[in-house]
């Protein structure tokens, strides 16, 4: 049986680059959205015909769809690796895996939605 130090080292070796990749994927998604919006606004500002840039914008949309599939796959892999770390009794905070990827969906409590949130909690408790 490996020591806890070894297990944490393995979790860090896998988790740290994986979490960095997730952040870079998010950044790429945002940058593509910004490029797409700038292209549409630029066409309008330059007073170009409506069809100007359609093919290029379509390629950005295709790239975003592919990137979304990649984001989903990486996120699924993240949970798979987290399950392995849990099985080794390595707490997520030992290798920095906390914050961006909670295990379950958390319903945010926003002003004006408290009643709905409590209704969901009450329904789940029953």
């Amino acid at each position: 049986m490996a020591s806890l130090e070894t297990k944490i080292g393995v979790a860090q070796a896998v988790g740290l680059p994986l979490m960095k990749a997730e952040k870079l994927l998010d950044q790429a998604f945002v940058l593509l959205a910004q490029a797409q919006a700038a292209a549409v606004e630029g066409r309008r500002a330059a007073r170009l015909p409506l069809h100007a840039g359609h093919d290029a914008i379509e390629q950005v949309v295709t790239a975003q769809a592919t990137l979304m599939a990649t984001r989903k796959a990486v996120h699924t892999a993240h949970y798979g690796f987290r399950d392995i770390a849990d099985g080794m009794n390595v707490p997520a905070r030992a290798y920095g895996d906390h914050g961006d990827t909670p295990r379950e969906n958390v319903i945010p409590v926003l002003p004006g939605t408290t009643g709905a949130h409590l209704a969901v909690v009450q329904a789940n408790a029953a």
Side-chain angles (χ1 to χ4, degrees):
M1 177 73 56
S3 70
L4 182 58
E5 183 178 308
T6 299
K7 293 175 184 179
I8 290 172
V10 170
Q12 287 175 338
V14 174
L16 296 178
L18 186 67
M19 290 180 285
K20 184 174 182 179
E22 289 172 339
K23 288 179 182 176
L24 291 172
L25 286 167
D26 281 345
Q27 184 179 5
F29 203 79
V30 168
L31 291 171
L32 287 172
Q34 290 172 348
Q36 182 180 5
V40 172
E41 291 294 330
R43 184 218 45 90
R44 193 166 43 194
R47 300 179 61 121
L48 296 171
L50 185 61
H51 67 277
H54 271 188
D55 292 342
I57 292 170
E58 182 178 23
Q59 290 305 308
V60 171
V61 170
T62 299
Q64 285 177 309
T66 302
L67 187 57
M68 179 57 81
T70 302
R71 289 175 80 233
K72 287 180 180 181
V74 169
H75 191 253
T76 300
H78 187 139
Y79 281 125
F81 287 126
R82 186 185 278 178
D83 288 344
I84 294 169
D86 288 349
M88 294 188 306
N89 294 318
V90 176
R93 68 184 167 279
Y95 56 98
D97 190 8
H98 51 81
D100 267 359
T101 54
R103 281 217 184 260
E104 49 285 315
N105 289 329
V106 178
I107 301 170
V109 178
L110 304 172
T113 63
T114 305
H117 174 71
L118 294 177
V120 170
V121 171
Q122 185 177 22
N124 287 338

